[in-house]
Amino acid sequence: MGRFWIQIFTTAIFLYFPLISHCQSTQTFIVRVQNDLKPSIFPSVEAWYVATLRTLTSYPLDSLESKNSNGGKQTDFLHVYRTVFHGFSTRLSAEQAEELSRRPEILGVIPDRVRHIQTTRSPLFLGLTGNSPTGLIAESDSGSDVIIGLLDTGISPERHSFLDVGLGPVPARWKGECIGGEKFVKTSCNKKVIGARYFPAGYDEGVANSSNVLSPRDSNGHGTHTASTAAGREVANASLFGFAAGVAVGIAPKARIAVYKVCWELGCLDSDILAGFDKAVEDGVDVISLSVGGQGSTPYNFDPIAIGSFGAMERGIFVSASAGNSGPDDMTVANVAPWITTVGASTIDRKFPADLILADGTVITGSSLYAGIPLDGKTYLPLIYAMNAGSTLCMPGSLDEKLVRGKIVVCDRGDVARVAKGLAVREAGGVGVVVANVAPEGEGLIADPHLIPGLMITESAGNKVRDYISRSKDPRAKIVPHGTRLGVKPAPVVAVFSSRGPNGASSYVLKPDVIAPGVDILAAWPDTVSPSELPEDARRSEFNILSGTSMSCPHVSGLAALLKGAHRDWSPAMIRSALMTTAYTVDGNGKPLLDEKDYRASNVWGIGAGHVDPEKAADPGLVYDLTVNDYLDFLCSSNYSVADINQITNKSVSCKGKKFTPWELNYPAISVAVAVSSRLPKFEVAVTRTVTQVSDAASSYVVTVTPPRGVNATVDPPKMLFKGKGEKKSYVVRISTANKPPGKSITEAGKLTWTDGKHKVTSPIVAVWQ
């Protein structure tokens, strides 16, 4: 950390947290140390820490030993951290803290601050608090009786996020096992991680010459991160090198975790994924979380994930899957079967800003998790575009050292990992890296733990920087980090990378279903994998910050666990319905949710039904339920052959005589294809939906309709009366063309909302003009 950070933090401490220090000259700091740099002459890291402190200007050497209240000797270390954090905490002056931060072995010098219990940060952003006697967390007992099966890269069970202290017995219905193997013993499981299996056969056959850890042990990090996002226990003082500091906790902190390692060094084989589904269902999980998927959609009979998830749904298991990271292009959404809840990604109200300040005074704000020694915030350094040094993309070994040495290098995003670009710059002698979005990444930002001072900037900002470099005789810049910033607006915003609809397998099923937090999410991380995932990176952390629909998926998996814990009788379709019909599409100021690609209003293909709202989903009023037979009728009406349906569902069916149409599937969204031509100047269709009341009291619901532009929509009946819980009522939506839109196919979206004065049950209406 540089002088700027020390001054900002010092001001914050003395203005807002005076109890931390008993005098004006010193305060408490937490020092993060890269322990593998310890010289061999020191017998322990503690001895090294003491020697390091003795080198600081004006450090009182005789204060390194003092008496505690029992008369024993005690060093001036407040704590020495050995497991979740490598380093120590001690009292320093601001000048000493700044001097210490310049040492190469010091990863960060963080002012100690008074904190109130909160998450870092998505559960709090979602409105979930664990200290209230009411609400979804209390009603479900934090999901304590619910089992989440995670199909992923395994788990690091020793992480504090997976401790079982305070948990009751494992649910009696659990039939699974804890399978030992390489670096993973059977006793690694506990009352939190109640089962673990691994499935390498398909991968070993399909991928040659790969090295894997043959056990449920996570050697990648992805599975550990998703597991703790869905169901991690509370862990105090969590952060990534001081970023996102607070109490880390999963969405359903008491839910049980069952691990199915189906993903390996180079990916996940369909055969292994299907085997994971098979065992998870057999073992007795309640929720399956799958942060895995391909690009786009395929017919369900050619999709093992669709097949495996159908079998899970049939047995009452909720399946949550990631929508994919191929946005912002349309028709890229994956995992689109109607019995899967497909989750897109959004931002939260926390960012990690860093500025690139050009010598002409232009300030460009990007994002960064760099935690090492910063560049001198006062000196403008030479700035070069990587294209002028051998490679626009900063591929490894591609940069001219003579041109790059001592400079900040601007690299275009693409082809190699963003953090690997910084490594390529470092190896060529560069001192800083700027990763600039290029089309179609747009205005979205992701924070990365760079190995050298660096940041990511948007596509429009990249254009400004390249223009500045091309017209300047001596382009120069400096990089100034700003740590963690909370309360950022607007939020949520649709993540630019989040895959979009429409659903290529069926235009009558809206996908993604919902969006949830998926950008810059802090969660547990293995101690064998660096935060950048680069082998050249020696840093380690108990937590890491990642982005992707892989992160949004376990948020919804955790929410499903809470809803299942609160409502054991709800089917998977009822849980999805509760999440969809209570989702929001406008922010707190009533403005439409925005899209990171251009910061304009998002559309239905990006957000689905909207952003999840857990507390409202716990009491949705009405839900749209679906049975296995409903899905079979849908497949028949979607022109799947009897053989295809059998392949998907393992059921022999007859589609003869069925009058069901694909838009009749009792989904919480209504999607129709509006066919208009000179031969068919008028389009009209009737869509039936059936709702089930899940509230106890008698109620009266009335409907309001906002039809998609270009069509008329009416609802019959406009009012429904319910006597009590479990009662079902049907209504018909008649959609007809109001006029013929010009030009090629377009999509328009509206909505209908049923309300009884307390609940609002909203369904998107999507009209695709053809």
Side-chain angles (χ1 to χ4, degrees), residues 672 674 682-687 705-715 733-739 765 767 769:
V672 297
V674 183
K682 185 73 172 177
F683 173 86
E684 186 170 347
V685 65
V687 180
V705 184
T706 304
R709 188 176 62 173
V711 303
N712 295 318
T714 60
V715 178
V733 183
R734 291 184 171 86
I735 300 171
S736 60
T737 52
N739 53 65
I765 305 175
W769 294 75

CSV table of all heavy atoms in Angstrom, one decimal, residues 672 674 682-687 705-715 733-739 765 767 769:
chain,number,residue,atom,x,y,z
A,672,VAL,N,-44.8,-16.1,-26.4
A,672,VAL,CA,-45.5,-16.5,-27.6
A,672,VAL,C,-44.8,-16.0,-28.8
A,672,VAL,O,-44.1,-14.9,-28.8
A,672,VAL,CB,-47.0,-16.0,-27.7
A,672,VAL,CG1,-47.8,-16.6,-26.5
A,672,VAL,CG2,-47.0,-14.5,-27.6
A,674,VAL,N,-45.3,-14.4,-32.4
A,674,VAL,CA,-46.4,-13.7,-33.1
A,674,VAL,C,-46.1,-13.8,-34.6
A,674,VAL,O,-45.1,-13.2,-35.1
A,674,VAL,CB,-46.5,-12.3,-32.7
A,674,VAL,CG1,-47.6,-11.6,-33.4
A,674,VAL,CG2,-46.7,-12.2,-31.2
A,682,LYS,N,-53.7,-11.1,-39.1
A,682,LYS,CA,-54.1,-11.0,-37.7
A,682,LYS,C,-53.6,-12.3,-36.9
A,682,LYS,O,-53.7,-13.4,-37.4
A,682,LYS,CB,-55.6,-11.0,-37.6
A,682,LYS,CG,-56.2,-10.8,-36.2
A,682,LYS,CD,-56.0,-9.4,-35.7
A,682,LYS,CE,-56.8,-9.2,-34.4
A,682,LYS,NZ,-56.6,-7.9,-33.8
A,683,PHE,N,-53.1,-12.1,-35.7
A,683,PHE,CA,-52.6,-13.2,-34.9
A,683,PHE,C,-53.4,-13.1,-33.6
A,683,PHE,O,-53.6,-12.1,-33.0
A,683,PHE,CB,-51.1,-13.0,-34.6
A,683,PHE,CG,-50.6,-14.0,-33.6
A,683,PHE,CD1,-50.2,-15.3,-34.1
A,683,PHE,CD2,-50.5,-13.7,-32.3
A,683,PHE,CE1,-49.7,-16.2,-33.2
A,683,PHE,CE2,-50.0,-14.7,-31.4
A,683,PHE,CZ,-49.6,-15.9,-31.8
A,684,GLU,N,-53.8,-14.3,-33.1
A,684,GLU,CA,-54.5,-14.4,-31.9
A,684,GLU,C,-54.3,-15.7,-31.2
A,684,GLU,O,-54.3,-16.8,-31.9
A,684,GLU,CB,-56.0,-14.2,-32.0
A,684,GLU,CG,-56.8,-14.1,-30.7
A,684,GLU,CD,-58.2,-13.7,-30.9
A,684,GLU,OE1,-58.5,-13.2,-32.0
A,684,GLU,OE2,-59.0,-13.8,-29.9
A,685,VAL,N,-54.0,-15.7,-29.9
A,685,VAL,CA,-53.7,-17.0,-29.2
A,685,VAL,C,-54.3,-16.9,-27.8
A,685,VAL,O,-54.2,-15.8,-27.2
A,685,VAL,CB,-52.2,-17.3,-29.2
A,685,VAL,CG1,-51.4,-16.3,-28.4
A,685,VAL,CG2,-52.0,-18.7,-28.7
A,686,ALA,N,-54.7,-18.0,-27.3
A,686,ALA,CA,-55.2,-18.0,-25.9
A,686,ALA,C,-54.2,-18.9,-25.1
A,686,ALA,O,-53.9,-20.0,-25.4
A,686,ALA,CB,-56.6,-18.6,-25.8
A,687,VAL,N,-53.8,-18.3,-24.0
A,687,VAL,CA,-52.8,-19.0,-23.1
A,687,VAL,C,-53.4,-19.2,-21.7
A,687,VAL,O,-53.8,-18.3,-21.1
A,687,VAL,CB,-51.5,-18.2,-23.0
A,687,VAL,CG1,-50.5,-18.9,-22.1
A,687,VAL,CG2,-50.9,-17.9,-24.4
A,705,VAL,N,-52.6,-5.6,-16.4
A,705,VAL,CA,-51.8,-6.1,-17.6
A,705,VAL,C,-51.1,-4.9,-18.3
A,705,VAL,O,-51.7,-3.9,-18.6
A,705,VAL,CB,-52.7,-6.8,-18.6
A,705,VAL,CG1,-51.9,-7.4,-19.7
A,705,VAL,CG2,-53.5,-7.9,-17.9
A,706,THR,N,-49.8,-5.1,-18.5
A,706,THR,CA,-49.1,-4.2,-19.4
A,706,THR,C,-48.7,-5.0,-20.6
A,706,THR,O,-47.7,-5.8,-20.5
A,706,THR,CB,-47.9,-3.6,-18.7
A,706,THR,OG1,-48.3,-2.9,-17.5
A,706,THR,CG2,-47.1,-2.6,-19.6
A,707,PRO,N,-49.4,-5.0,-21.7
A,707,PRO,CA,-49.1,-5.9,-22.9
A,707,PRO,C,-47.8,-5.4,-23.6
A,707,PRO,O,-47.4,-4.3,-23.5
A,707,PRO,CB,-50.3,-5.7,-23.8
A,707,PRO,CG,-50.8,-4.3,-23.5
A,707,PRO,CD,-50.6,-4.1,-22.0
A,708,PRO,N,-47.1,-6.4,-24.2
A,708,PRO,CA,-46.0,-6.0,-25.0
A,708,PRO,C,-46.4,-5.0,-26.1
A,708,PRO,O,-47.6,-5.1,-26.6
A,708,PRO,CB,-45.5,-7.3,-25.6
A,708,PRO,CG,-46.1,-8.4,-24.7
A,708,PRO,CD,-47.4,-7.8,-24.2
A,709,ARG,N,-45.5,-4.2,-26.5
A,709,ARG,CA,-45.9,-3.2,-27.6
A,709,ARG,C,-46.2,-3.9,-28.8
A,709,ARG,O,-45.6,-4.9,-29.3
A,709,ARG,CB,-44.7,-2.3,-27.8
A,709,ARG,CG,-45.0,-1.1,-28.8
A,709,ARG,CD,-43.8,-0.2,-28.9
A,709,ARG,NE,-42.6,-0.9,-29.5
A,709,ARG,CZ,-41.5,-0.3,-29.8
A,709,ARG,NH1,-41.4,1.0,-29.6
A,709,ARG,NH2,-40.5,-1.0,-30.3
A,710,GLY,N,-47.3,-3.5,-29.5
A,710,GLY,CA,-47.8,-4.1,-30.7
A,710,GLY,C,-48.8,-5.2,-30.6
A,710,GLY,O,-49.3,-5.7,-31.6
A,711,VAL,N,-49.1,-5.6,-29.3
A,711,VAL,CA,-50.2,-6.6,-29.1
A,711,VAL,C,-51.2,-6.1,-28.1
A,711,VAL,O,-50.9,-5.2,-27.3
A,711,VAL,CB,-49.6,-8.0,-28.7
A,711,VAL,CG1,-48.6,-8.5,-29.7
A,711,VAL,CG2,-49.0,-7.9,-27.3
A,712,ASN,N,-52.3,-6.7,-28.1
A,712,ASN,CA,-53.3,-6.6,-27.1
A,712,ASN,C,-53.3,-7.8,-26.2
A,712,ASN,O,-53.1,-8.9,-26.7
A,712,ASN,CB,-54.7,-6.4,-27.7
A,712,ASN,CG,-54.8,-5.1,-28.5
A,712,ASN,OD1,-54.4,-4.1,-28.1
A,712,ASN,ND2,-55.5,-5.2,-29.6
A,713,ALA,N,-53.5,-7.6,-24.9
A,713,ALA,CA,-53.6,-8.7,-24.0
A,713,ALA,C,-54.7,-8.5,-23.0
A,713,ALA,O,-54.7,-7.4,-22.3
A,713,ALA,CB,-52.3,-8.9,-23.3
A,714,THR,N,-55.6,-9.5,-22.9
A,714,THR,CA,-56.7,-9.4,-21.9
A,714,THR,C,-56.7,-10.7,-21.0
A,714,THR,O,-56.2,-11.7,-21.5
A,714,THR,CB,-58.0,-9.2,-22.5
A,714,THR,OG1,-58.3,-10.4,-23.4
A,714,THR,CG2,-58.1,-8.0,-23.4
A,715,VAL,N,-57.1,-10.6,-19.8
A,715,VAL,CA,-57.1,-11.7,-18.9
A,715,VAL,C,-58.6,-12.0,-18.5
A,715,VAL,O,-59.4,-11.1,-18.1
A,715,VAL,CB,-56.3,-11.4,-17.6
A,715,VAL,CG1,-56.3,-12.6,-16.7
A,715,VAL,CG2,-54.9,-11.1,-18.0
A,733,VAL,N,-55.1,-15.9,-20.8
A,733,VAL,CA,-54.6,-14.6,-21.4
A,733,VAL,C,-54.8,-14.7,-22.9
A,733,VAL,O,-54.3,-15.6,-23.5
A,733,VAL,CB,-53.1,-14.4,-21.0
A,733,VAL,CG1,-52.6,-13.1,-21.6
A,733,VAL,CG2,-52.9,-14.5,-19.6
A,734,ARG,N,-55.6,-13.8,-23.4
A,734,ARG,CA,-55.8,-13.7,-24.9
A,734,ARG,C,-54.9,-12.6,-25.5
A,734,ARG,O,-55.0,-11.4,-25.1
A,734,ARG,CB,-57.2,-13.4,-25.2
A,734,ARG,CG,-58.1,-14.6,-24.9
A,734,ARG,CD,-59.6,-14.4,-25.3
A,734,ARG,NE,-60.3,-15.7,-25.1
A,734,ARG,CZ,-60.9,-16.1,-24.0
A,734,ARG,NH1,-60.8,-15.3,-22.9
A,734,ARG,NH2,-61.5,-17.2,-23.9
A,735,ILE,N,-54.0,-13.0,-26.3
A,735,ILE,CA,-53.0,-12.2,-26.9
A,735,ILE,C,-53.3,-12.0,-28.4
A,735,ILE,O,-53.5,-13.1,-29.1
A,735,ILE,CB,-51.6,-12.7,-26.7
A,735,ILE,CG1,-51.3,-12.8,-25.2
A,735,ILE,CG2,-50.5,-11.8,-27.4
A,735,ILE,CD1,-50.0,-13.5,-24.9
A,736,SER,N,-53.4,-10.8,-28.9
A,736,SER,CA,-53.7,-10.6,-30.3
A,736,SER,C,-52.9,-9.4,-30.8
A,736,SER,O,-52.5,-8.6,-30.0
A,736,SER,CB,-55.2,-10.4,-30.6
A,736,SER,OG,-55.6,-9.3,-29.9
A,737,THR,N,-52.7,-9.4,-32.1
A,737,THR,CA,-51.9,-8.3,-32.7
A,737,THR,C,-52.7,-7.0,-32.7
A,737,THR,O,-53.9,-7.0,-33.1
A,737,THR,CB,-51.4,-8.6,-34.1
A,737,THR,OG1,-52.5,-9.0,-34.9
A,737,THR,CG2,-50.4,-9.7,-34.1
A,738,ALA,N,-52.1,-5.9,-32.3
A,738,ALA,CA,-52.7,-4.6,-32.4
A,738,ALA,C,-52.2,-3.9,-33.7
A,738,ALA,O,-53.0,-3.1,-34.3
A,738,ALA,CB,-52.3,-3.7,-31.2
A,739,ASN,N,-51.0,-4.2,-34.2
A,739,ASN,CA,-50.5,-3.7,-35.4
A,739,ASN,C,-49.3,-4.5,-35.9
A,739,ASN,O,-48.8,-5.3,-35.1
A,739,ASN,CB,-50.2,-2.2,-35.3
A,739,ASN,CG,-49.2,-1.9,-34.2
A,739,ASN,OD1,-48.1,-2.4,-34.2
A,739,ASN,ND2,-49.7,-1.2,-33.2
A,765,ILE,N,-44.7,-11.2,-20.0
A,765,ILE,CA,-45.3,-11.6,-21.2
A,765,ILE,C,-44.4,-11.2,-22.4
A,765,ILE,O,-44.0,-10.0,-22.5
A,765,ILE,CB,-46.7,-10.9,-21.5
A,765,ILE,CG1,-47.6,-11.2,-20.3
A,765,ILE,CG2,-47.3,-11.4,-22.7
A,765,ILE,CD1,-48.9,-10.4,-20.4
A,767,ALA,N,-43.5,-11.3,-26.4
A,767,ALA,CA,-44.0,-11.6,-27.8
A,767,ALA,C,-42.8,-11.4,-28.7
A,767,ALA,O,-42.1,-10.4,-28.8
A,767,ALA,CB,-45.0,-10.5,-28.1
A,769,TRP,N,-41.9,-11.3,-32.5
A,769,TRP,CA,-42.5,-11.1,-33.8
A,769,TRP,C,-41.7,-11.8,-34.9
A,769,TRP,O,-40.5,-11.7,-35.0
A,769,TRP,CB,-42.6,-9.6,-34.1
A,769,TRP,CG,-43.5,-8.9,-33.2
A,769,TRP,CD1,-43.3,-8.5,-31.9
A,769,TRP,CD2,-44.8,-8.4,-33.5
A,769,TRP,NE1,-44.3,-7.8,-31.4
A,769,TRP,CE2,-45.3,-7.7,-32.4
A,769,TRP,CE3,-45.6,-8.4,-34.7
A,769,TRP,CZ2,-46.6,-7.1,-32.3
A,769,TRP,CZ3,-46.9,-7.8,-34.6
A,769,TRP,CH2,-47.3,-7.2,-33.5
